[in-house]
Amino acid sequence: MEQMIFIRKDDKVEVFSEEEELKGSYYRAILEDNPTKLGHNKLKVRYLTQLNEHRLAPLTEFVDQRFIRPVPSEDVNDGVVFVEGLMVDAYLKDGWWTGVVVKTMEDEKFLVYFDCPPDIIQFEKKKLRVHLDWTGFKWIRPDNKELVKSVFSCGTMVELRFDCAWIPVIVIKELEKDKRFLVKYWNKSYSCRESKNLIVDSLRLRPMQPPLSVGKYELLDHVEAFSGFEWRQGVVRGIVFEGRYMVSFGATKEASQFNHSDIRPPMEWEDGVWHKRTKPKRQKETSLDGNRNVQTKEPPGNEMADDVKKESGLPITLGVTATKNKTQGKVSPVPMKNGFGNESTREKMPEEPKIKYYTRKRKRGGLKLNSYINKTVLSSDRTPNVVKNSASNAEENHAKHTIMVLPFAKKSPVWKTYESLEVFKSVSHSLHFSPLFETKQDFREGYAIGMMVTYFGLLEKFKDLEADVPVSQLNSLKDSFSELEKHGFNVTTPLSRIDKLLALKDRQLYIMEELKGFDKEMTNEFSKAKQEFDDMEQKILEVKHKIIELQRQEAALKEQKEAEKEQKDAAWKKICQMESCAKDLNVELEDVEFEFETILSAPW
């Protein structure tokens, strides 16, 4: 650094630009005048990366000598640690622009702030060099800038409120005295988006929401999804498979698919602290007799009922439904169907006011109805009055006209236990076990009891299915239910629902294949566009090299022409001198001849 450096004609130099749009930048050029000549305040330069107005030849102009400096050494970055506050030169738009590092990113990338015009741009380290000031004969490195850190300081990633969405932006600078900020759009992966800078009020800004670890989202969960370039409020409408969800926005029910990484729980920034968004409290309900309040009950941590109420505007009734007995003035419970109830029977029930009891259990992210809990609403005399459902009545009427002959005698006490379960009574079965006539008498009742156990096990297995269940498992369940149907079990509803799930799995597979096709097509298009862009850059680089080579040849030919001109002038001058000498010699020769003749003709 201490060694004296001087520039001469034909040296590569850097020229400081005074133009308004290019102020603060340096461009490479060839010096075409010698700076040591006296009386020359401006020197002629020929730019290497800028063309004239016709864009056919390099731009040449006369520049004040104080705006010209040598080209810094290639090893200028050796031993320099790039930290926040370091003054650097960034290569941008064919020139070197002076700025300050305001944030260090991953993979040796840095955010650089430029003052004129105010802006922040991300650069790789190979596009940066430490800034040096030229004194006229040596380089001097300036001290690092001291950056003031705050919630909305320069280079901070924040979110901008726009309608009902939050857009990621980066703070460029704070405007003085009016609590407003200059910001620009910034995508979720912290990359710059080509956009105009915006001036916004501080009330519309908040820090980036901190990441929260959420294992999985449930149906009807309120979330924020990153759509396009903004975080939008939405509701989970479906779970495609593990890690991918269908989310709808606003009043529309149309949903789009999102990855788990593009979804986050909604939070609020208040008084400098992040808070989880709270839900409205539950309201107490009055029982049918008007004398006592019943508090709806829900397992801790389960917020699904709130979401269903909010979406449909209707009450939720799970577990037991209460109907009013008009003749006795009592309230009687009617058991609800557990998973596979007869829907037509439910539709025939009288339209009466309902009291809600929640008997749900959360299991593997889903909701499980517990039909084995027998809850009733007591009337004024505290006596429960049970009303039989229409399915039981239908079974009794059928028994009056039909005598069922079983291939065995029901001796085991477990029959009464199984047949008394609500999940079994809620559906009308015609158990005949006729295929067991082909088996030995001693094994028939055991086989029948095993089928009862299998039936309940299949129902539980169906309820425990998850979104990523394989098709083979669904087909296996379908075959098992079909086998039970041969013995008189009513499996119409399970088979219907399994067929619906199989259709959904086919749709899921089709969507996944479509996504793979789109991903492949996007990858190919991106590769093609990148290859075309790289080819174009290579062609531009080759043209620039050709221009530089032609410029070098032009300069060499000009120098050769000047030298030949000087040689021609020297030769012409020499010829003129020789002609003058020849004339003098001719005159002298004539004098000699005249004197010779005079001597010869002289008289004796």
Side-chain angles (χ1 to χ4, degrees):
M1 293 291 182
E2 298 298 330
Q3 184 179 2
M4 299 295 184
I5 302 175
F6 299 97
I7 54 177
R8 301 177 180 84
K9 181 182 178 181
D10 297 329
D11 285 349
K12 280 187 178 181
V13 295
E14 289 186 346
V15 181
F16 180 80
S17 178
E18 283 189 301
E19 295 184 24
E20 187 65 28
E21 296 181 354
L22 305 176
K23 196 171 184 179
S25 59
Y26 288 88
Y27 291 88
R28 295 281 176 92
I30 299 295
L31 185 61
E32 295 193 344
D33 284 335
N34 198 326
T36 60
K37 289 184 177 181
L38 298 177
H40 280 223
N41 293 327
K42 291 190 176 183
L43 304 178
K44 185 179 181 181
V45 296
R46 183 178 74 254
Y47 290 98
L48 298 179
T49 57
Q50 291 184 293
L51 302 177
N52 60 16
E53 58 181 359
H54 301 295
R55 307 193 67 80
L56 298 176
L59 176 64
T60 59
E61 63 179 2
F62 289 91
V63 181
D64 197 316
Q65 186 170 337
R66 61 192 177 93
F67 294 140
I68 302 175
R69 70 179 192 180
V71 175
S73 174
E74 294 292 335
D75 58 356
V76 66
N77 288 341
D78 291 352
V80 178
V81 180
F82 282 69
V83 296
E84 296 179 6
L86 177 68
M87 291 193 65
V88 295
D89 294 333
Y91 191 75
L92 178 67
K93 298 179 180 179
D94 299 324
W96 290 94
W97 297 67
T98 302
V100 180
V101 175
V102 294
K103 192 176 185 65
T104 58
M105 312 295 286
E106 296 179 352
D107 301 329
E108 291 193 327
K109 294 182 180 179
F110 304 89
L111 297 184
V112 180
Y113 169 76
F114 301 97
D115 191 53
C116 187
D119 201 358
I120 287 182
I121 302 177
Q122 180 175 272
F123 290 93
E124 298 178 356
K125 186 177 180 180
K126 63 181 180 181
K127 294 292 185 71
L128 299 176
R129 71 184 185 192
V130 63
H131 177 73
L132 300 175
D133 291 326
W134 175 246
T135 64
F137 56 89
K138 67 177 181 178
W139 295 103
I140 295 178
R141 177 180 166 182
D143 296 333
N144 292 356
K145 297 286 186 180
E146 185 175 350
L147 303 179
V148 179
K149 293 293 184 179
S150 65
V151 178
F152 301 122
S153 59
C154 177
T156 304
M157 313 295 178
V158 297
E159 294 181 352
L160 171 65
R161 182 73 173 181
F162 186 78
D163 291 337
C164 295
W166 290 98
I167 304 174
V169 297
I170 186 171
V171 177
I172 298 176
K173 66 180 299 186
E174 180 179 3
L175 304 181
E176 297 179 357
K177 299 180 181 180
D178 55 1
K179 293 185 179 181
R180 293 192 301 168
F181 294 86
L182 183 67
V183 301
K184 70 184 300 185
Y185 291 122
W186 205 264
N187 66 22
K188 196 181 65 166
S189 59
Y190 304 115
S191 298
C192 175
R193 297 179 59 232
E194 292 296 333
S195 60
K196 294 182 179 180
N197 298 340
L198 305 174
I199 297 177
V200 298
D201 190 88
S202 60
L203 298 178
R204 296 178 59 193
L205 296 179
R206 73 176 188 182
M208 292 287 291
Q209 180 173 317
L212 289 180
S213 178
V214 179
K216 62 171 62 175
Y217 296 95
E218 306 294 343
L219 290 177
L220 301 180
D221 274 358
H222 286 262
V223 296
E224 290 182 355
F226 194 77
S227 175
F229 57 88
E230 62 186 8
W231 290 98
R232 300 177 60 190
Q233 298 179 11
V235 178
V236 176
R237 297 293 181 183
I239 302 175
V240 182
F241 51 86
E242 187 173 359
R244 295 185 73 87
Y245 303 89
M246 302 299 293
V247 180
S248 66
F249 304 103
T252 176
K253 299 299 181 182
E254 296 182 3
S256 302
Q257 190 172 146
F258 292 90
N259 290 324
H260 188 281
S261 59
D262 292 329
I263 302 176
R264 69 184 186 185
M267 298 184 69
E268 295 179 350
W269 172 258
E270 184 176 352
D271 298 330
V273 180
W274 285 103
H275 301 277
K276 290 185 178 179
R277 189 173 298 170
T278 58
K279 290 183 175 292
K281 296 182 178 180
R282 297 183 177 277
Q283 301 295 328
K284 292 185 177 181
E285 298 184 4
T286 305
S287 62
L288 297 178
D289 56 12
N291 296 325
R292 56 193 292 253
N293 291 333
V294 179
Q295 175 66 43
T296 58
K297 182 179 180 182
E298 185 175 2
N302 191 350
E303 299 173 345
M304 291 302 174
D306 285 340
D307 297 330
V308 176
K309 279 187 178 183
K310 197 174 297 182
E311 292 299 322
S312 62
L314 299 175
I316 310 166
T317 304
L318 298 175
V320 176
T321 302
T323 60
K324 191 171 182 180
N325 191 321
K326 298 181 179 180
T327 59
Q328 301 179 9
K330 298 180 181 180
V331 178
S332 304
V334 176
M336 290 290 288
K337 310 301 178 286
N338 185 13
F340 300 117
N342 191 328
E343 296 179 1
S344 62
T345 303
R346 188 185 312 151
E347 292 175 357
K348 295 177 182 179
M349 293 181 182
E351 296 292 334
E352 295 289 345
K354 300 179 180 179
I355 290 181
K356 300 181 287 182
Y357 282 89
Y358 291 89
T359 60
R360 297 184 293 176
K361 294 182 180 179
R362 180 179 292 273
K363 184 172 183 181
R364 299 183 186 175
L367 297 177
K368 181 178 179 181
L369 302 180
N370 187 354
S371 63
Y372 306 108
I373 299 177
N374 185 18
K375 292 189 176 182
T376 60
V377 181
L378 300 180
S379 61
S380 58
D381 60 358
R382 312 293 290 176
T383 302
N385 183 13
V386 180
V387 180
K388 295 181 180 180
N389 58 27
S390 58
S392 299
N393 295 333
E395 186 176 357
E396 290 179 0
N397 294 332
H398 180 73
K400 291 179 181 179
H401 299 88
T402 304
I403 299 176
M404 185 68 65
V405 179
L406 298 178
F408 58 88
K410 293 184 178 180
K411 299 179 180 180
S412 176
V414 299
W415 286 104
K416 187 175 181 180
T417 303
Y418 286 137
E419 292 175 347
S420 63
L421 294 177
E422 293 294 336
V423 69
F424 184 80
K425 295 192 300 181
S426 61
V427 181
S428 177
H429 298 279
S430 299
L431 301 179
H432 51 78
F433 299 106
S434 58
L436 296 182
F437 279 109
E438 300 178 2
T439 62
K440 291 185 177 182
Q441 177 69 33
D442 296 336
F443 298 139
R444 293 176 183 176
E445 185 178 14
Y447 287 157
I449 293 175
M451 291 178 191
M452 293 288 289
V453 175
T454 302
Y455 174 74
F456 293 113
L458 291 176
L459 294 183
E460 291 295 328
K461 191 174 182 180
F462 184 92
K463 289 188 295 180
D464 292 340
L465 293 178
E466 296 184 352
D468 57 350
V469 58
V471 176
S472 59
Q473 186 174 346
L474 292 176
N475 287 326
S476 177
L477 280 174
K478 183 176 181 181
D479 294 339
S480 299
F481 277 116
S482 299
E483 189 66 26
L484 291 175
E485 189 177 21
K486 297 177 182 178
H487 295 266
F489 287 90
N490 186 348
V491 294
T492 303
T493 302
L495 291 178
S496 174
R497 296 191 181 183
I498 291 175
D499 289 337
K500 291 179 181 179
L501 292 182
L502 287 172
L504 290 176
K505 294 296 290 186
D506 291 339
R507 176 62 179 169
Q508 179 185 13
L509 182 61
Y510 173 77
I511 293 174
M512 292 176 65
E513 292 297 329
E514 288 287 317
L515 287 175
K516 289 181 180 179
F518 282 130
D519 291 341
K520 184 177 180 181
E521 185 176 354
M522 287 189 294
T523 302
N524 294 337
E525 289 294 329
F526 177 78
S527 301
K528 182 180 178 182
K530 186 176 183 300
Q531 184 62 39
E532 292 178 353
F533 181 78
D534 293 341
D535 293 342
M536 184 61 66
E537 280 195 333
Q538 184 64 28
K539 290 180 180 179
I540 293 174
L541 186 61
E542 292 175 358
V543 170
K544 287 184 177 181
H545 288 165
K546 289 181 180 179
I547 291 175
I548 294 174
E549 180 62 22
L550 291 174
Q551 291 172 351
R552 188 188 64 78
Q553 294 179 7
E554 181 186 15
L557 290 174
K558 285 183 178 180
E559 291 179 358
Q560 183 178 355
K561 180 180 178 181
E562 291 293 333
E564 291 178 354
K565 183 178 179 180
E566 291 179 359
Q567 291 178 1
K568 179 181 177 182
D569 293 341
W572 178 254
K573 184 177 180 180
K574 188 175 181 180
I575 290 172
C576 291
Q577 291 177 353
M578 292 176 65
E579 287 180 348
S580 177
C581 290
K583 289 180 180 179
D584 294 340
L585 290 174
N586 286 331
V587 172
E588 186 177 355
L589 180 61
E590 291 177 356
D591 291 341
V592 170
E593 290 177 352
F594 178 76
E595 186 177 356
F596 184 82
E597 292 178 356
T598 302
I599 293 173
L600 291 177
S601 61
W604 298 99

